Amino acid sequence: MNFRFQIALSEHDYLQFNIFHTIRSPYGAKIIRSYRISNAVIYIALIFLALSREGFTTVGLIQTGFLLILLVIFQLLAKRFLRASTKSTLKRLKKAGKLAFSPFSTMEFLENSFIEESEDSRTETKYSSIERISVVEGQYVFLHLDSLRGYILPVSCFESHEQHERFLSFMSSLGIPIDHYKSI
């Protein structure tokens, strides 16, 4: 066994992971780009519809101007909208009792795989399943398995800064890409 961590997660940690995943991670960049493109296509279609129905009359130009203003607002506020949407989704999941994390778990990092053990489950995962690691300075280490799943290691689970650095060095030696971020 190379590393063993006792992990205590809060709803705030889970929220931060989901916000990071939606907005800052490489996966989030794709989400935001898709959101912006689809939003622009919808508004441009509405603008063409308004112009074809009303023509270049005063009413048509007012509708077009209004739609252009909305398009610009939604483009500028895309990240804020997605952050609010993520918070809202997690509130609904919490209310339904379906938050997908264990408040307390143990993670053991062995030579070829790692094991997460909680009250409800025991999961063994090969390192080759980790697509990338995101390190949020002074806060978290996120292990991304794919565009939807991941593991949260709060910095508090590391005994020292040296252990944190040894862990990242070990993960890097496995060929897993590691991205560093200042904050969420």
Side-chain angles (χ1 to χ4, degrees):
M1 172 175 48
N2 291 325
F3 298 95
R4 180 181 173 91
F5 303 115
Q6 299 295 324
I7 299 170
L9 295 177
S10 66
E11 289 176 17
H12 176 74
D13 296 327
Y14 185 64
L15 174 65
Q16 292 298 86
F17 171 75
N18 282 283
I19 288 173
F20 176 84
H21 197 74
T22 303
I23 295 173
R24 297 283 308 277
S25 74
Y27 308 105
K30 291 177 184 175
I31 291 169
I32 290 172
R33 188 172 35 259
S34 296
Y35 171 80
R36 286 184 167 149
I37 290 170
S38 62
N39 196 20
V41 167
I42 290 168
Y43 275 95
I44 290 170
L46 289 173
I47 288 169
F48 281 122
L49 182 63
L51 287 175
S52 67
R53 197 178 69 204
E54 299 294 333
F56 286 94
T57 64
T58 304
V59 172
L61 292 175
I62 289 173
Q63 287 178 348
T64 300
F66 178 72
L67 290 169
L68 281 173
I69 290 169
L70 285 177
L71 173 61
V72 169
I73 288 171
F74 281 119
Q75 294 295 327
L76 293 175
L77 299 178
K79 288 183 179 182
R80 286 187 185 181
F81 173 75
L82 289 170
R83 180 184 299 260
S85 175
T86 300
K87 286 181 180 180
S88 173
T89 300
L90 292 178
K91 281 182 184 178
R92 277 186 275 128
L93 288 173
K94 180 183 175 185
K95 193 178 275 189
K98 296 183 180 182
L99 288 178
F101 77 97
S102 299
F104 300 101
S105 65
T106 301
M107 288 185 79
E108 294 181 48
F109 290 82
L110 309 170
E111 290 303 316
N112 298 314
S113 63
F114 64 96
I115 299 168
E116 181 199 32
E117 205 166 338
S118 67
E119 285 182 4
D120 305 332
S121 66
R122 182 179 192 279
T123 307
E124 183 169 355
T125 307
K126 294 198 177 294
Y127 292 122
S128 59
S129 297
I130 302 173
E131 287 186 0
R132 66 184 335 102
I133 296 174
S134 296
V135 178
V136 180
E137 187 178 293
Q139 295 176 319
Y140 302 101
V141 174
F142 299 133
L143 308 177
H144 302 281
L145 300 183
D146 55 35
S147 64
L148 297 175
R149 299 176 301 138
Y151 289 95
I152 305 168
L153 295 172
V155 170
S156 61
C157 76
F158 295 96
E159 293 174 0
S160 65
H161 180 70
E162 291 74 29
Q163 184 189 39
H164 181 264
E165 292 302 316
R166 281 194 322 272
F167 175 74
L168 292 178
S169 179
F170 169 69
M171 298 307 272
S172 179
S173 73
L174 298 171
I176 302 169
I178 300 176
D179 302 318
H180 294 270
Y181 299 88
K182 292 286 184 195
S183 65
I184 294 181

